[in-house]
Amino acid sequence: MKQLDNLNFITATKMLFDEPSKKKKFGLDFHLVQLFFACLPSLAVYLVAQYARSEMRKMDAQLEKKKKEEEAKENKIEQIAAAEKMAEKDQLVEVKNRIEKLEEVVKEIAVVSKIQSNPIINDKKKLSTSQSGDIQSSSGTTTSIVKKQVSESKSDELKPSLNQEKKNESS
């Protein structure tokens, strides 16, 4: 209003040709601010979800790493157990071989005791022991003597049966 009281030609032309001064309204700026505030909760949820997803990936990677380590430990334990089983099997094979050898020796001893209990073979045994005394001193083992005695006892057992067959054939 003061400008209208002091109105002269120059001020009137300025008013006419100048753009009128705009009053600041909250128009578009207000709407942008409202849009930002409206989107802010969902943006916060999105950011929290992204953070949680990245944390879950880290945890999954750690779990996979632990599983791989556990599997590696289990494989080592299985390999050790397999090696122990193989060692046990080897030991069992050795024990079986020893048992077989001992059984053979026991059988030989049983044959020798059988030979000694038979009186006909005892006479021939005395002869064979004198002959085998030389062999025993040279070899130092009794197994060769036992083998000779077994073969002699078998041949002696066969001779009487052959003699009986010849008698039966002649009569």
Side-chain angles (χ1 to χ4, degrees):
M1 286 274 197
K2 289 183 182 180
Q3 289 179 350
L4 291 177
D5 290 336
N6 294 331
L7 191 60
N8 58 15
F9 184 72
I10 296 175
T11 56
T13 55
K14 280 184 182 177
M15 287 171 83
L16 183 64
F17 292 113
D18 283 343
E19 293 184 22
S21 65
K22 294 183 178 178
K23 289 185 179 177
K24 242 184 172 181
K25 294 182 181 178
F26 244 143
L28 187 59
D29 292 337
F30 175 77
H31 292 293
L32 287 176
V33 169
Q34 289 298 319
L35 179 66
F36 175 74
F37 284 128
C39 293
L40 190 62
S42 45
L43 177 67
V45 169
Y46 174 77
L47 292 176
V48 168
Q50 289 299 323
Y51 176 75
R53 191 178 285 170
S54 67
E55 288 295 317
M56 287 176 59
R57 287 181 186 152
K58 288 178 186 178
M59 291 171 65
D60 288 341
Q62 289 176 349
L63 284 174
E64 287 179 19
K65 187 176 180 181
K66 286 181 182 179
K67 285 181 182 179
K68 287 180 182 179
E69 289 174 357
E70 288 176 5
E71 288 177 2
K73 287 179 183 179
E74 288 175 5
N75 287 339
K76 286 181 183 179
I77 291 171
E78 289 175 3
Q79 289 175 353
I80 291 171
E84 289 176 359
K85 286 182 181 178
M86 292 298 284
E88 288 176 5
K89 286 182 181 179
D90 291 340
Q91 289 176 352
L92 286 175
V93 169
E94 288 178 21
V95 169
K96 285 181 181 179
N97 289 337
R98 287 182 183 172
I99 289 174
E100 288 174 1
K101 289 178 183 178
L102 288 173
E103 286 176 351
E104 289 176 9
V105 170
V106 169
K107 286 178 183 177
E108 289 175 1
I109 292 171
V111 169
V112 169
S113 65
K114 216 182 226 185
I115 292 171
Q116 289 176 353
S117 66
N118 198 349
I120 298 171
I121 298 173
N122 281 340
D123 296 332
K124 292 185 180 181
K125 180 186 168 203
K126 289 178 185 175
L127 292 174
S128 65
T129 54
S130 64
Q131 292 172 355
S132 63
D134 298 330
I135 297 170
Q136 184 178 10
S137 63
S138 65
S139 68
T141 61
T142 59
T143 57
S144 61
I145 295 169
V146 171
K147 288 180 182 177
K148 283 186 177 182
Q149 290 175 351
V150 168
S151 63
E152 288 175 2
S153 66
K154 287 182 181 178
S155 63
D156 290 340
E157 290 174 1
L158 290 176
K159 284 180 184 177
S161 63
L162 289 174
N163 290 335
Q164 289 176 357
E165 288 177 8
K166 286 181 183 179
K167 288 180 185 177
N168 290 338
E169 288 176 7
S170 62
S171 46

